[in-house]
Amino acid sequence: MVSDLVKQAAAQGKPKDDGKDPSSGGDARGNNDEPNRKRSRVGDATDKGTVDSEETEEGDQLHPFTYLGFYGDHKRAISSLSFAPSLSSGIRNNGGMSINSNVGKGSAVLCASSSADGSAKVWDITKNVTNAQNSSPSKKKKFVGSSGPPPSGASASAVRLEPKLSLFGHNRGINDVAWSPTASYLATASDDKTLRLWSAETGEAFVEFRGHTNFVFSCKFNPQSNLLVSGSFDETVKLWDVRCGECVATLPAHSNPVTGVDFNRDGTCIVSGSYDGLVRIWDTATGECLKTVYAEGNPPVGGVRFSPNGRFVLSGTLDSKLRLYDVSGGRGRGTFGNGYGGLHSNRAQPRGGKCSKTYVGHKNSKFCAFAAFLSANPKRQCVVSGSEDGKVYLYDLQSRLIMQTLEGHHDAVLAVDAHDSLELIGSGGMANDKFVRFWGASTKEYLDP
């Protein structure tokens, strides 16, 4: 059944290699009211060499990220964030777009958030981003939304967003939310042991996926949108037929809760991570384990993500480190190309995977925190990480140095994501914060949190 679905998806052809990735980490955390979460995406580097963020042309300054002056909120902790894929909403990557670059006519900038309050929300921030682009520090910004109350510590003029959609249906906290590659659908994974498929246009619930026997912690669509993968505290990875909700495969993947899953660029492979400390790569069609990697000391894995070409996996572990693994077996230098190739060219080596980079500085020892790839600007390629100290960390992809920390939340930040075509970051705080904040790189001064 899985093989048939994969072949059917393959018959539609591989995603167009246009330099961007067409898809893009409550009680489960042991906190009763907060899902144990994480989540995140990459873009536009090539395989021809590294990108040094400090090497910019004269006068081409990289401006720091600042709080953009508008926010969303939930009633309880924010568990995950996900920006809608830009290729589905009309935004194209033209060599990297800063927040000052005009959002194209007819395009939309959408972000989904999920929470321990059992809801998921969709935020349409298109007009807010446009207004932020066009605003002057000396003029009052006319953001779309209501006037407060703002997050603690934020300017009184910060604007509270009204959600485009609010999704209710789960009877416990939601741990993860994922967009389909066309942004037509959303999937949610919940502590009520189910997943749900929603219309991203109307908020209607289409399909309920039942079969896990414990909290469902992570979910992702394949690039063709006909399969959904999920990871659960029941230690399994399941594949679902999106059309009917049928479970088409169950992988006895790990010996502890599965905390993260993702598809590679063409959907032929799945990565899973677990509290057992293992990161595993699976053949989608056969269920064969192609590779297993783990860090020294076997720290629990809190989240995993493929690079767009499927050659690298980013793994966040509860020893306050992010590790970038080359799982292709090739001779890549650690850049994120968009070509194909990758795992199937090295199927004779089921174990192994070199750790290419380690990122250290954020705090992550208790909860599963998301990480994301920021790559809209080829001259500033970063790994973005949440942190239990309430900050968002931006690491230079190549040098591993901390480029910037974003401060403003008043509790741990587990949920982060980066837009794939704009220099735009979203972050969400836990129970003592409960706000979704948006950050942009700009030539203008915006409201500080």
Side-chain angles (χ1 to χ4, degrees):
M1 173 70 81
V2 178
S3 179
D4 291 341
L5 288 169
V6 172
K7 289 178 181 177
Q8 176 185 346
Q12 300 173 8
K14 295 180 179 179
K16 183 179 180 181
D17 188 6
D18 52 11
K20 292 300 296 178
D21 184 357
S23 64
S24 343
D27 304 325
R29 304 187 180 191
N31 283 341
N32 296 324
D33 65 339
E34 298 158 2
N36 234 358
R37 258 291 50 132
K38 45 151 240 232
R39 240 20 86 221
S40 25
R41 211 154 326 251
V42 165
D44 196 36
T46 69
D47 283 329
K48 297 180 180 180
T50 62
V51 176
D52 189 338
S53 63
E54 296 180 356
E55 293 181 3
T56 61
E57 297 178 6
E58 186 176 356
D60 189 9
Q61 181 182 357
L62 292 177
H63 299 280
F65 281 80
T66 58
Y67 175 51
L68 294 179
F70 52 89
Y71 64 94
D73 60 358
H74 281 267
K75 294 181 179 179
R76 300 174 84 170
I78 312 297
S79 56
S80 69
L81 289 178
S82 182
F83 282 105
S86 63
L87 296 184
S88 64
S89 56
I91 303 174
R92 304 286 175 173
N93 181 13
N94 298 314
M97 298 173 65
S98 73
I99 197 67
N100 290 317
S101 303
N102 290 327
V103 175
K105 183 178 180 180
S107 62
V109 184
L110 304 175
C111 184
S113 60
S114 66
S115 170
D117 63 14
S119 73
K121 296 182 180 182
V122 176
W123 312 95
D124 186 344
I125 60 173
T126 311
K127 292 182 179 179
N128 299 85
V129 170
T130 302
N131 290 343
Q133 294 167 357
N134 298 328
S135 64
S136 167
S138 62
K139 295 180 180 180
K140 184 178 180 180
K141 302 173 186 63
K142 296 181 180 180
F143 291 123
V144 178
S146 62
S147 59
S152 175
S155 167
S157 58
V159 172
R160 178 178 181 268
L161 299 170
E162 296 296 334
K164 177 179 184 284
L165 293 174
S166 295
L167 310 179
F168 295 97
H170 290 288
N171 56 38
R172 298 193 68 175
I174 299 176
N175 292 311
D176 200 8
V177 60
W179 291 89
S180 68
T182 61
S184 300
Y185 305 102
L186 287 160
T188 51
S190 171
D191 280 354
D192 66 10
K193 307 176 187 178
T194 72
L195 300 102
R196 286 180 181 248
L197 180 72
W198 311 80
S199 166
E201 182 62 31
T202 66
E204 179 184 358
F206 289 143
V207 182
E208 184 178 42
F209 304 85
R210 291 185 172 271
H212 281 296
T213 59
N214 208 330
F215 311 129
V216 190
F217 209 56
S218 177
C219 61
K220 282 291 187 297
F221 286 91
N222 70 339
Q224 296 79 19
S225 299
N226 66 331
L227 288 174
L228 188 67
V229 65
S230 60
S232 168
F233 267 43
D234 64 12
E235 303 175 3
T236 69
V237 171
K238 288 183 180 289
L239 275 171
W240 309 85
D241 186 332
V242 170
R243 298 166 298 183
C244 63
E246 177 185 355
C247 179
V248 295
T250 298
L251 306 178
H254 294 274
S255 58
N256 271 303
V258 179
T259 53
V261 291
D262 195 13
F263 279 102
N264 68 344
R265 178 179 170 88
D266 63 4
T268 57
C269 293
I270 295 166
V271 62
S272 63
S274 167
Y275 279 166
D276 63 12
L278 303 181
V279 174
R280 285 182 163 157
I281 314 295
W282 308 87
D283 185 295
T284 304
T286 67
E288 176 188 359
C289 182
L290 304 176
K291 282 185 183 291
T292 299
V293 298
Y294 51 88
E296 183 178 357
N298 216 43
V301 177
V304 289
R305 165 156 300 200
F306 263 117
S307 65
N309 62 0
R311 292 185 56 225
F312 297 88
V313 166
L314 182 66
S315 168
T317 47
L318 272 66
D319 58 355
S320 298
K321 294 181 180 179
L322 290 164
R323 293 175 175 88
L324 191 67
Y325 292 100
D326 183 346
V327 295
S328 69
R331 299 181 180 180
R333 297 177 58 187
T335 57
F336 290 95
N338 290 290
Y340 291 91
L343 293 171
H344 291 285
S345 63
N346 191 40
R347 296 183 65 162
Q349 299 182 11
R351 294 187 66 85
K354 180 182 178 182
C355 181
S356 301
K357 305 281 184 181
T358 301
Y359 306 92
V360 181
H362 62 287
K363 308 299 181 185
N364 184 202
S365 61
K366 299 178 181 179
F367 309 111
C368 295
F370 283 89
F373 294 104
L374 176 69
S375 58
N377 186 344
K379 296 176 182 177
R380 174 162 42 195
Q381 295 200 355
C382 300
V383 171
V384 182
S385 175
S387 179
E388 291 164 11
D389 61 9
K391 301 176 184 178
V392 178
Y393 284 74
L394 277 66
Y395 294 99
D396 182 273
L397 176 64
Q398 300 301 334
S399 72
R400 299 164 293 172
L401 297 176
I402 297 173
M403 297 184 66
Q404 190 180 351
T405 58
L406 308 179
E407 301 184 26
H409 289 284
H410 298 275
D411 201 349
V413 177
L414 307 185
V416 297
D417 197 19
H419 197 278
D420 56 8
S421 291
L422 297 171
E423 289 205 285
L424 180 65
I425 294 170
S427 59
M430 288 187 69
N432 292 324
D433 184 87
K434 300 177 286 190
F435 293 105
V436 178
R437 289 171 176 257
F438 296 96
W439 316 79
S442 175
T443 58
K444 303 181 179 69
E445 267 182 54
Y446 292 102
L447 298 172
D448 290 326

